[in-house]
Amino acid sequence: MIKLTAQRQAILDMINASDRHWDADELARSLSDNGQPIGIATVYRGLATLEAAGLIESIQLADKKRYERADKAHHDHMICTVCGDIEEFAHAKIESLQLSVAAEKGFTVTGHQLVMFGLCERCSQGEQK
Amino acid sequence: MIKLTAQRQAILDMINASDRHWDADELARSLSDNGQPIGIATVYRGLATLEAAGLIESIQLADKKRYERADKAHHDHMICTVCGDIEEFAHAKIESLQLSVAAEKGFTVTGHQLVMFGLCERCSQGEQK
DNA sequence: TTCAAAATGATAATCATTATCATTATTGCG
DNA sequence: CGCAATAATGATAATGATTATCATTTTGAA
Ligand SMILES: [Mn+2]
Ligand SMILES: [Mn+2]
Ligand SMILES: [Zn+2]
Ligand SMILES: [Zn+2]
């Protein structure tokens, strides 16, 4: 059975305490700064375990995986390629259209990831001008 | 200026000759089997250069990047988590809804990637008997 | 309390991709 | 055509994220 350890609890608490999308290293550093140093390997394992248990969620970016709270409704992301800001959005119609397209092809969807890249509002302004 | 080399030409030809989504290693091996061995570093650089030139496109998967022909209309993907099959689909409505959602948030979209994971038709069957 | 199963942490190993750098090829020009 | 200068190649080292090892410690059921 899965054991509730202080390390896993610390990781989960840290993630649930904010709306950030954390990568393993940021989490390890932050935990360390909070007087709860946890081995980096344990952080990776803890994140995987917590995600498998449905307690946290993740998005797979080009170079690394980022984790966030799971107590929010499903949503997708827009990532600013200038400042790195990650914005969230939810669109029921897009979700249902995805499923219908899959169904047409006999594809059984178990998960999906939609990410838009571009410039966030702030970065769009400084842009031209 | 960008030079037209035999290596880049070979990479481009190989990609344009099929509908596959190649990773760098598969391409290097295939080129080698075809009597056109190319250093792996050159394959990586060639792929990046060809993509920057708009001659090929790519999708970023969890572990690696895969490249495909660019002479097809824009489309997104459905990936079978059992057999690895990559299917394509295009849906104008989903595309436009994405842009409208971004616009609402003042986000300027420069690119996006939508991937659905699940079971392809063939794998869905063997699934539950 | 007892102990087997599971988790941790330090560290080595993977794997895809990029960086180095000496050598070679391409291309505009005379 | 023949020549640099400029870019590309290729072998290989380096990176960076993530996983594998394995000895040691912790957890939780009985
Ligand atoms: Mn999110
Ligand atoms: Mn495709
Ligand atoms: Zn921004
Ligand atoms: Zn399949």
Side-chain angles (χ1 to χ4, degrees), chain B residues 17-59:
Chain B
S18 86
D19 274 301
R20 295 184 51 179
H21 297 80
W22 306 80
D23 68 33
D25 208 58
E26 291 171 342
L27 218 31
R29 195 163 20 248
S30 184
L31 287 164
S32 193
D33 292 344
N34 266 59
Q36 175 71 287
I38 296 178
I40 188 63
T42 299
V43 171
Y44 274 104
R45 281 180 302 224
L47 287 170
T49 301
L50 291 170
E51 180 174 30
L55 296 174
I56 59 176
E57 294 191 335
S58 73
I59 49 177

Side-chain angles (χ1 to χ4, degrees), chain A residues 19 21 59 68-69 72 75-77 86-88:
Chain A
D19 274 301
H21 296 81
I59 49 177
E68 68 179 314
R69 291 160 43 198
K72 294 194 272 191
H75 60 269
D76 287 297
H77 304 86
I86 299 179
E87 289 181 53
E88 312 184 326

Side-chain angles (χ1 to χ4, degrees), chain A residues 80-85 118-123:
Chain A
C80 179
T81 52
V82 173
C83 68
D85 182 48
L119 307 187
C120 70
E121 186 156 39
R122 174 167 39 256
C123 292

Side-chain angles (χ1 to χ4, degrees), chain B residues 5-24:
Chain B
T5 67
Q7 289 88 338
R8 288 173 179 173
Q9 192 58 252
I11 292 172
L12 181 57
D13 290 343
M14 181 69 69
I15 290 177
N16 280 330
S18 86
D19 274 301
R20 295 184 51 179
H21 297 80
W22 306 80
D23 68 33

Side-chain angles (χ1 to χ4, degrees), chain B residues 80 83 120 123:
Chain B
C80 179
C83 68
C120 69
C123 292

